[in-house]
Amino acid sequence: MDIQNPNGIFHWDLTGKTHPCIPWSREAIFPLFMAKLKTKIVFLCSSCGDDFPKWNGQCPSCKEWGTLSEFKASSKKSKGKTEIRDSKFLPDVLSGAPVERISTGIREADRVLGGGFLSGALILLGGSPGVGKSTLALHICSGIDRKVLYISAEESEEQVALRARRLKINSKYLHLSGENEVEGIITHIERISPELVVVDSIQTVMNTGLDSLPGSPSQIRDCGQRLLEVSKQRNVTILIVGHVTKDGTIAGPKMLEHMVDTVLYMDGDDRYDHRILRSAKNRFGATHEVGIFNMDSEGLKEVTNPSEMFLAERSINIPGTSVYPSLEGTRPILVEVQVLVSDANFGTPQRNLNGFDYKRLGMLIAVLEKRIGLAMGTKDVFVNLVGGLRVNDPAADLSIICSTASSTMDNPIEENTVLLGEVGLAGEVRSISRLEHRLTEAKTLGFKTAIVPAASMNDKVKKIEIDLHPVKFVKDAFKILF
Ligand code: TYD
Ligand code: MG
């Protein structure tokens, strides 16, 4: 590198030694470099965590708008050691012992994880504040009969101990620590050598080497990266807890999703006691499995029969309601669908949905108008999937369209009937997945009749003792129902 000085050009050797013919010492010039390095300014995206030298309205990586903010990067490096991992030959890895899965001791959590934790996995447990993440993490710690380290960066050890007493947890394998410095956490991991570490929460953990506050995108990204390194180097499972706000405005753990092996989200509505644990990403198992819990004064309890819970307060013989066996992962859950259709008071009719896709409803209303001839243009439509469940399954179409028609015509659907089928633009009822499983669940809960897509009929389905009505078009279903 050439450096201009008043006496002419001379060469700077990056090893730090000055050239013999040059009068300037290394001590005189080195601070200049350091000062330049220390004030590096980058723009960090709070959504994906990528950084850029210039500000942009839209993040060039993830295309989110308004997520870039200025951040002064520190040149100080964290003092983590850089161990080089050995490379491995695939046949040797395959012939070795299979990676062990550690059961959490909670069946619903194991189901979502695909059978338990894998050693060396990094797992993110996200959810809005107060949903019950810390409670679930503590239950998991007590369910595992191995050495566990619970880092409660949010609460003191005493507060966690109080909670543990309330949840009747007394695990002899559980170590508590209120450490919130990432290097301190790593030291604890090295000292205690646990098999599972819970970091609650990533928003309160910080690297003091960075110039930003805990919870900022740079801190979250850096601490996440350090924990990732430790989990892979030491083969320890790390469960990171992270808050997300409902509107997603603050830097949440979104950017961590790319780093971790598994992403679990805990969902729940303040109005209900049940909590749903979903897997949004899983490198070692199936996604879209759900675990269902009930929150009471003694913590989270597993719900073994969710269909009964969701149908507990079912409205019977009311126009606009019907039951549909949904599928969450591999598990059928019966859901009550409620639709209310009323005359619109204002020019543009409202479409208000809870748990169902807005565009899909628009399509179903268009099918009702065009193929069945029901005028919906001046009607408000309200859709609610009872119990706060969110459904992203085309098999719900028939139930939604029939409930909408039922409410419009003020004609109730028979209470012991379940409806299943995807609806196409021609008004046809299309085949769906796992019909047999869904119908078996309906039968177990005492349903007598099922309206199903004709194309999904097979021998296994026919054997189920339920009165089956295969239909090809929505209008055929209407003939049976109304
Ligand atoms: P918590 O696990 O602290 O939530 P998070 O870590 O996601 O912020 O749970 C907080 C809520 O759970 C709080 O509103 C009280 C409720 N709760 C119970 O109803 N019963 C219990 O036994 C516990 C521990 C919490
Ligand atoms: Mg908490």
Side-chain angles (χ1 to χ4, degrees), residues 231-385:
S231 89
K232 301 298 168 202
Q233 276 167 6
R234 301 189 61 90
N235 206 26
V236 51
T237 309
I238 303 187
L239 177 72
I240 300 177
V241 175
H243 299 298
V244 274
T245 54
K246 287 219 163 87
D247 56 354
T249 47
I250 64 153
K254 267 254 169 252
M255 67 181 79
L256 283 176
E257 289 184 4
H258 307 290
M259 283 185 207
V260 300
D261 300 310
T262 304
V263 180
L264 305 179
Y265 270 99
M266 202 164 178
D267 258 349
D269 201 313
D270 297 341
R271 297 170 296 166
Y272 305 101
D273 286 338
H274 68 262
R275 302 284 181 265
I276 300 176
L277 186 69
R278 290 171 202 279
S279 127
K281 164 182 172 181
N282 197 349
R283 286 188 185 145
F284 316 116
T287 49
H288 311 301
E289 278 293 359
V290 295
I292 298 172
F293 299 90
N294 224 351
M295 177 73 98
D296 65 16
S297 58
E298 287 179 1
L300 289 163
K301 300 269 155 62
E302 296 178 63
V303 175
T304 41
N305 196 342
S307 297
E308 264 172 22
M309 186 183 82
F310 284 112
L311 294 181
E313 294 169 50
R314 201 180 137 206
S315 24
I316 287 169
N317 233 357
I318 308 261
T321 65
S322 63
V323 174
Y324 136 76
S326 87
L327 204 62
E328 293 284 352
T330 53
R331 177 192 221 182
I333 299 177
L334 297 197
V335 188
E336 182 186 349
V337 172
Q338 293 187 330
V339 180
L340 183 67
V341 179
S342 65
D343 288 332
N345 286 325
F346 302 103
T348 318
Q350 290 186 61
R351 307 279 181 248
N352 224 318
L353 292 100
N354 196 359
F356 194 67
D357 181 42
Y358 187 86
K359 286 186 183 151
R360 192 105 199 142
L361 178 72
M363 188 275 275
L364 295 177
I365 290 175
V367 170
L368 264 185
E369 288 232 356
K370 276 297 238 198
R371 308 286 172 210
I372 311 284
L374 270 183
M376 304 295 297
T378 55
K379 306 278 189 193
D380 286 340
V381 181
F382 303 91
V383 177
N384 181 27
L385 278 104

Side-chain angles (χ1 to χ4, degrees), residues 137 141 148-152 196-200 237-241:
C141 290
V148 181
L149 172 63
Y150 187 103
I151 306 284
S152 62
L196 171 72
V197 180
V198 175
V199 178
D200 186 5
T237 309
I238 303 187
L239 177 72
I240 300 177
V241 175

Side-chain angles (χ1 to χ4, degrees), residues 129-135 150 154-155 163 200-201 241 243:
V131 76
K133 300 179 294 298
S134 305
T135 312
Y150 187 103
E154 258 175 29
E155 298 166 72
R163 186 195 293 247
D200 186 5
S201 66
V241 175
H243 299 298

Side-chain angles (χ1 to χ4, degrees), residues 105-127:
I106 305 171
R107 229 182 43 205
E108 295 293 298
D110 279 352
R111 172 203 293 278
V112 180
L113 287 163
F117 290 126
L118 268 186
S119 47
L122 192 65
I123 298 147
L124 174 67
L125 171 62

Side-chain angles (χ1 to χ4, degrees), residues 139-209:
H139 277 298
I140 289 176
C141 290
S142 76
I144 289 182
D145 51 356
R146 309 193 181 204
K147 216 186 266 179
V148 181
L149 172 63
Y150 187 103
I151 306 284
S152 62
E154 258 175 29
E155 298 166 72
S156 69
E157 292 89 340
E158 288 74 21
Q159 282 170 320
V160 179
L162 266 180
R163 186 195 293 247
R165 184 179 294 158
R166 203 166 116 195
L167 304 182
K168 301 197 170 68
I169 288 170
N170 189 14
S171 168
K172 54 184 187 244
Y173 302 106
L174 182 56
H175 292 251
L176 299 177
S177 163
E179 181 62 62
N180 70 344
E181 218 288 305
V182 70
E183 289 304 329
I185 294 173
I186 291 165
T187 311
H188 278 301
I189 295 174
E190 281 164 1
R191 246 186 240 153
I192 298 170
S193 299
E195 291 192 41
L196 171 72
V197 180
V198 175
V199 178
D200 186 5
S201 66
I202 190 76
Q203 271 87 0
T204 44
V205 174
M206 66 182 297
N207 179 354
T208 42

Side-chain angles (χ1 to χ4, degrees), residues 43-57:
F43 294 87
L44 205 64
C45 171
S46 60
S47 175
C48 67
D50 216 348
D51 54 42
F52 308 93
K54 276 187 182 170
W55 186 84
N56 274 299

